[in-house]
């Protein structure tokens, strides 16, 4: 049985479009950006974390974030966007500029900004499709509280080098969570 050209075009369009209701694929550039950011955070270390053991603290990363497999795609995208935005805001302060190398800090912020831009289109598209899901419970509220604890910690420690080193280590661990979350979003 031979198909006409228009029929073949329709079949190609049907089979190349997303089957699920989620029509957004995470850009591959997000994966590259995550890896670059993680590498940059690793290179930023100025002092040994061992010399800052007395400054370590538990920022209490929200447990519901760890159980992200039960979160809808739009909520997971929202969490991912919020995390990147909060990390950008954390390092985009005068206090962080006093601690970190300007070159490293500019590269880190530039990479985070690109990741946010890559993610925003996808987030807006998914939010439009799943507004009712997002209305159920805002998963980013606990995330904002978590980052508020980090900000308060830095204030209490007067933005010391050790405090920033502890925070840098914490953010590196969160990028491992981001990696897992984006992997779940790609399934």
């Amino acid at each position: 049985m031979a198909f006409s050209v228009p029929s073949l075009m329709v079949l190609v369009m049907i089979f190349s479009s997303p089957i699920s209701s989620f029509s957004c694929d995470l850009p591959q550039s997000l994966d590259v950006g995550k890896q670059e950011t993680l590498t940059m955070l690793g290179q930023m270390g100025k002092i040994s974390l061992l010399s800052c053991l007395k400054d370590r603290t538990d920022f209490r990363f929200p447990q519901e974030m760890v159980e992200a497999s039960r979160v809808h795609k739009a909520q997971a995208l929202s969490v991912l966007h919020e995390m990147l935005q909060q990390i950008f805001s954390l390092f985009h302060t005068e206090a962080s500029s006093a601690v970190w190398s300007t070159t490293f800090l500019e590269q880190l912020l530039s990479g985070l900004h690109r990741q946010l831009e890559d993610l925003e289109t996808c987030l807006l598209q998914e939010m439009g499709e799943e507004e009712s899901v997002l209305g159920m419970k805002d998963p980013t509220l606990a995330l904002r509280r978590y980052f508020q604890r980090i900000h308060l910690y830095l204030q209490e420690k007067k933005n010391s080098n050790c405090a920033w080193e502890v925070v840098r280590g914490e953010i590196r661990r969160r990028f491992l969570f981001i990696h897992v979350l984006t992997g779940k979003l790609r399934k």
Side-chain angles (χ1 to χ4, degrees), residues 6-26:
S7 297
L8 286 173
M9 290 181 68
V10 168
L11 286 173
V12 168
M13 288 172 51
I14 288 171
F15 287 109
S16 66
S17 66
I19 294 173
S20 72
S21 63
F22 303 116
S23 58
C24 180
D25 292 323
L26 291 178

PDB file of all heavy atoms in Angstrom, residues 6-26:
ATOM      1  N   PRO A   6       1.205  13.955   1.054  1.00  0.00           N
ATOM      2  CA  PRO A   6       0.526  14.600   2.178  1.00  0.00           C
ATOM      3  C   PRO A   6       0.224  13.628   3.324  1.00  0.00           C
ATOM      4  O   PRO A   6       0.348  13.990   4.495  1.00  0.00           O
ATOM      5  CB  PRO A   6      -0.767  15.151   1.579  1.00  0.00           C
ATOM      6  CG  PRO A   6      -0.470  15.323   0.122  1.00  0.00           C
ATOM      7  CD  PRO A   6       0.477  14.200  -0.205  1.00  0.00           C
ATOM      8  N   SER A   7      -0.136  12.396   2.998  1.00  0.00           N
ATOM      9  CA  SER A   7      -0.417  11.406   4.047  1.00  0.00           C
ATOM     10  C   SER A   7       0.843  11.088   4.844  1.00  0.00           C
ATOM     11  O   SER A   7       0.812  10.950   6.061  1.00  0.00           O
ATOM     12  CB  SER A   7      -0.959  10.115   3.440  1.00  0.00           C
ATOM     13  OG  SER A   7      -2.175  10.360   2.792  1.00  0.00           O
ATOM     14  N   LEU A   8       1.962  10.955   4.141  1.00  0.00           N
ATOM     15  CA  LEU A   8       3.224  10.693   4.822  1.00  0.00           C
ATOM     16  C   LEU A   8       3.611  11.853   5.740  1.00  0.00           C
ATOM     17  O   LEU A   8       4.108  11.636   6.844  1.00  0.00           O
ATOM     18  CB  LEU A   8       4.340  10.428   3.805  1.00  0.00           C
ATOM     19  CG  LEU A   8       4.294   9.072   3.109  1.00  0.00           C
ATOM     20  CD1 LEU A   8       5.345   9.010   1.998  1.00  0.00           C
ATOM     21  CD2 LEU A   8       4.519   7.959   4.110  1.00  0.00           C
ATOM     22  N   MET A   9       3.366  13.064   5.275  1.00  0.00           N
ATOM     23  CA  MET A   9       3.688  14.233   6.096  1.00  0.00           C
ATOM     24  C   MET A   9       2.853  14.246   7.365  1.00  0.00           C
ATOM     25  O   MET A   9       3.354  14.553   8.445  1.00  0.00           O
ATOM     26  CB  MET A   9       3.521  15.522   5.303  1.00  0.00           C
ATOM     27  CG  MET A   9       4.589  15.678   4.226  1.00  0.00           C
ATOM     28  SD  MET A   9       4.446  17.202   3.300  1.00  0.00           S
ATOM     29  CE  MET A   9       4.864  18.396   4.520  1.00  0.00           C
ATOM     30  N   VAL A  10       1.588  13.903   7.260  1.00  0.00           N
ATOM     31  CA  VAL A  10       0.716  13.850   8.432  1.00  0.00           C
ATOM     32  C   VAL A  10       1.221  12.786   9.402  1.00  0.00           C
ATOM     33  O   VAL A  10       1.288  13.013  10.614  1.00  0.00           O
ATOM     34  CB  VAL A  10      -0.751  13.590   8.017  1.00  0.00           C
ATOM     35  CG1 VAL A  10      -1.599  13.235   9.223  1.00  0.00           C
ATOM     36  CG2 VAL A  10      -1.317  14.798   7.298  1.00  0.00           C
ATOM     37  N   LEU A  11       1.591  11.610   8.889  1.00  0.00           N
ATOM     38  CA  LEU A  11       2.114  10.552   9.750  1.00  0.00           C
ATOM     39  C   LEU A  11       3.393  10.985  10.453  1.00  0.00           C
ATOM     40  O   LEU A  11       3.576  10.725  11.642  1.00  0.00           O
ATOM     41  CB  LEU A  11       2.364   9.278   8.935  1.00  0.00           C
ATOM     42  CG  LEU A  11       1.134   8.484   8.519  1.00  0.00           C
ATOM     43  CD1 LEU A  11       1.519   7.349   7.579  1.00  0.00           C
ATOM     44  CD2 LEU A  11       0.416   7.938   9.748  1.00  0.00           C
ATOM     45  N   VAL A  12       4.289  11.651   9.747  1.00  0.00           N
ATOM     46  CA  VAL A  12       5.528  12.142  10.351  1.00  0.00           C
ATOM     47  C   VAL A  12       5.208  13.128  11.463  1.00  0.00           C
ATOM     48  O   VAL A  12       5.782  13.071  12.559  1.00  0.00           O
ATOM     49  CB  VAL A  12       6.457  12.781   9.289  1.00  0.00           C
ATOM     50  CG1 VAL A  12       7.587  13.554   9.945  1.00  0.00           C
ATOM     51  CG2 VAL A  12       7.002  11.707   8.368  1.00  0.00           C
ATOM     52  N   MET A  13       4.268  14.034  11.215  1.00  0.00           N
ATOM     53  CA  MET A  13       3.901  15.022  12.229  1.00  0.00           C
ATOM     54  C   MET A  13       3.282  14.345  13.453  1.00  0.00           C
ATOM     55  O   MET A  13       3.576  14.706  14.587  1.00  0.00           O
ATOM     56  CB  MET A  13       2.951  16.063  11.648  1.00  0.00           C
ATOM     57  CG  MET A  13       3.640  17.004  10.679  1.00  0.00           C
ATOM     58  SD  MET A  13       2.529  18.117   9.792  1.00  0.00           S
ATOM     59  CE  MET A  13       1.566  18.836  11.068  1.00  0.00           C
ATOM     60  N   ILE A  14       2.454  13.346  13.242  1.00  0.00           N
ATOM     61  CA  ILE A  14       1.805  12.658  14.361  1.00  0.00           C
ATOM     62  C   ILE A  14       2.851  11.928  15.205  1.00  0.00           C
ATOM     63  O   ILE A  14       2.869  12.047  16.425  1.00  0.00           O
ATOM     64  CB  ILE A  14       0.724  11.668  13.849  1.00  0.00           C
ATOM     65  CG1 ILE A  14      -0.473  12.446  13.325  1.00  0.00           C
ATOM     66  CG2 ILE A  14       0.312  10.697  14.961  1.00  0.00           C
ATOM     67  CD1 ILE A  14      -1.503  11.582  12.606  1.00  0.00           C
ATOM     68  N   PHE A  15       3.752  11.198  14.550  1.00  0.00           N
ATOM     69  CA  PHE A  15       4.701  10.398  15.302  1.00  0.00           C
ATOM     70  C   PHE A  15       5.887  11.193  15.836  1.00  0.00           C
ATOM     71  O   PHE A  15       6.602  10.720  16.698  1.00  0.00           O
ATOM     72  CB  PHE A  15       5.190   9.216  14.460  1.00  0.00           C
ATOM     73  CG  PHE A  15       4.137   8.168  14.308  1.00  0.00           C
ATOM     74  CD1 PHE A  15       3.520   7.976  13.084  1.00  0.00           C
ATOM     75  CD2 PHE A  15       3.728   7.411  15.388  1.00  0.00           C
ATOM     76  CE1 PHE A  15       2.528   7.021  12.942  1.00  0.00           C
ATOM     77  CE2 PHE A  15       2.730   6.459  15.249  1.00  0.00           C
ATOM     78  CZ  PHE A  15       2.123   6.264  14.029  1.00  0.00           C
ATOM     79  N   SER A  16       6.091  12.399  15.362  1.00  0.00           N
ATOM     80  CA  SER A  16       7.184  13.200  15.901  1.00  0.00           C
ATOM     81  C   SER A  16       6.711  14.129  17.004  1.00  0.00           C
ATOM     82  O   SER A  16       7.514  14.720  17.699  1.00  0.00           O
ATOM     83  CB  SER A  16       7.860  14.011  14.788  1.00  0.00           C
ATOM     84  OG  SER A  16       6.960  14.972  14.274  1.00  0.00           O
ATOM     85  N   SER A  17       5.414  14.269  17.186  1.00  0.00           N
ATOM     86  CA  SER A  17       4.920  15.125  18.268  1.00  0.00           C
ATOM     87  C   SER A  17       4.865  14.332  19.559  1.00  0.00           C
ATOM     88  O   SER A  17       4.762  13.114  19.550  1.00  0.00           O
ATOM     89  CB  SER A  17       3.530  15.664  17.916  1.00  0.00           C
ATOM     90  OG  SER A  17       2.611  14.610  17.867  1.00  0.00           O
ATOM     91  N   PRO A  18       4.966  15.018  20.703  1.00  0.00           N
ATOM     92  CA  PRO A  18       4.931  14.313  21.977  1.00  0.00           C
ATOM     93  C   PRO A  18       3.595  13.595  22.158  1.00  0.00           C
ATOM     94  O   PRO A  18       2.542  14.123  21.826  1.00  0.00           O
ATOM     95  CB  PRO A  18       5.087  15.420  23.020  1.00  0.00           C
ATOM     96  CG  PRO A  18       5.535  16.622  22.282  1.00  0.00           C
ATOM     97  CD  PRO A  18       5.140  16.444  20.859  1.00  0.00           C
ATOM     98  N   ILE A  19       3.664  12.402  22.697  1.00  0.00           N
ATOM     99  CA  ILE A  19       2.456  11.617  22.912  1.00  0.00           C
ATOM    100  C   ILE A  19       1.769  12.054  24.189  1.00  0.00           C
ATOM    101  O   ILE A  19       0.558  12.119  24.269  1.00  0.00           O
ATOM    102  CB  ILE A  19       2.801  10.114  22.946  1.00  0.00           C
ATOM    103  CG1 ILE A  19       3.285   9.692  21.575  1.00  0.00           C
ATOM    104  CG2 ILE A  19       1.620   9.288  23.401  1.00  0.00           C
ATOM    105  CD1 ILE A  19       3.820   8.287  21.492  1.00  0.00           C
ATOM    106  N   SER A  20       2.538  12.370  25.189  1.00  0.00           N
ATOM    107  CA  SER A  20       1.941  12.763  26.464  1.00  0.00           C
ATOM    108  C   SER A  20       1.448  14.201  26.392  1.00  0.00           C
ATOM    109  O   SER A  20       1.687  14.906  25.424  1.00  0.00           O
ATOM    110  CB  SER A  20       2.974  12.641  27.582  1.00  0.00           C
ATOM    111  OG  SER A  20       3.937  13.661  27.458  1.00  0.00           O
ATOM    112  N   SER A  21       0.809  14.625  27.455  1.00  0.00           N
ATOM    113  CA  SER A  21       0.309  16.000  27.493  1.00  0.00           C
ATOM    114  C   SER A  21       1.437  16.991  27.747  1.00  0.00           C
ATOM    115  O   SER A  21       1.238  18.184  27.671  1.00  0.00           O
ATOM    116  CB  SER A  21      -0.759  16.139  28.577  1.00  0.00           C
ATOM    117  OG  SER A  21      -0.186  15.869  29.844  1.00  0.00           O
ATOM    118  N   PHE A  22       2.630  16.492  28.092  1.00  0.00           N
ATOM    119  CA  PHE A  22       3.761  17.368  28.334  1.00  0.00           C
ATOM    120  C   PHE A  22       4.488  17.605  27.026  1.00  0.00           C
ATOM    121  O   PHE A  22       5.063  16.694  26.459  1.00  0.00           O
ATOM    122  CB  PHE A  22       4.719  16.755  29.354  1.00  0.00           C
ATOM    123  CG  PHE A  22       4.049  16.446  30.657  1.00  0.00           C
ATOM    124  CD1 PHE A  22       3.943  15.144  31.103  1.00  0.00           C
ATOM    125  CD2 PHE A  22       3.513  17.456  31.421  1.00  0.00           C
ATOM    126  CE1 PHE A  22       3.327  14.861  32.307  1.00  0.00           C
ATOM    127  CE2 PHE A  22       2.892  17.179  32.618  1.00  0.00           C
ATOM    128  CZ  PHE A  22       2.796  15.871  33.062  1.00  0.00           C
ATOM    129  N   SER A  23       4.461  18.811  26.543  1.00  0.00           N
ATOM    130  CA  SER A  23       5.032  19.073  25.230  1.00  0.00           C
ATOM    131  C   SER A  23       6.392  19.749  25.312  1.00  0.00           C
ATOM    132  O   SER A  23       6.900  20.204  24.316  1.00  0.00           O
ATOM    133  CB  SER A  23       4.066  19.946  24.430  1.00  0.00           C
ATOM    134  OG  SER A  23       3.811  21.141  25.120  1.00  0.00           O
ATOM    135  N   CYS A  24       6.978  19.800  26.480  1.00  0.00           N
ATOM    136  CA  CYS A  24       8.255  20.477  26.614  1.00  0.00           C
ATOM    137  C   CYS A  24       9.359  19.472  26.910  1.00  0.00           C
ATOM    138  O   CYS A  24       9.252  18.681  27.840  1.00  0.00           O
ATOM    139  CB  CYS A  24       8.174  21.506  27.737  1.00  0.00           C
ATOM    140  SG  CYS A  24       9.720  22.379  27.954  1.00  0.00           S
ATOM    141  N   ASP A  25      10.386  19.507  26.102  1.00  0.00           N
ATOM    142  CA  ASP A  25      11.570  18.710  26.372  1.00  0.00           C
ATOM    143  C   ASP A  25      12.634  19.640  26.930  1.00  0.00           C
ATOM    144  O   ASP A  25      12.859  20.728  26.385  1.00  0.00           O
ATOM    145  CB  ASP A  25      12.092  18.058  25.093  1.00  0.00           C
ATOM    146  CG  ASP A  25      11.136  17.001  24.568  1.00  0.00           C
ATOM    147  OD1 ASP A  25      10.535  16.293  25.396  1.00  0.00           O
ATOM    148  OD2 ASP A  25      10.987  16.902  23.340  1.00  0.00           O
ATOM    149  N   LEU A  26      13.275  19.208  28.008  1.00  0.00           N
ATOM    150  CA  LEU A  26      14.325  20.035  28.590  1.00  0.00           C
ATOM    151  C   LEU A  26      15.463  20.193  27.588  1.00  0.00           C
ATOM    152  O   LEU A  26      15.884  19.222  26.969  1.00  0.00           O
ATOM    153  CB  LEU A  26      14.863  19.395  29.865  1.00  0.00           C
ATOM    154  CG  LEU A  26      13.931  19.376  31.051  1.00  0.00           C
ATOM    155  CD1 LEU A  26      14.599  18.652  32.227  1.00  0.00           C
ATOM    156  CD2 LEU A  26      13.544  20.779  31.468  1.00  0.00           C
TER     157      LEU A  26
END
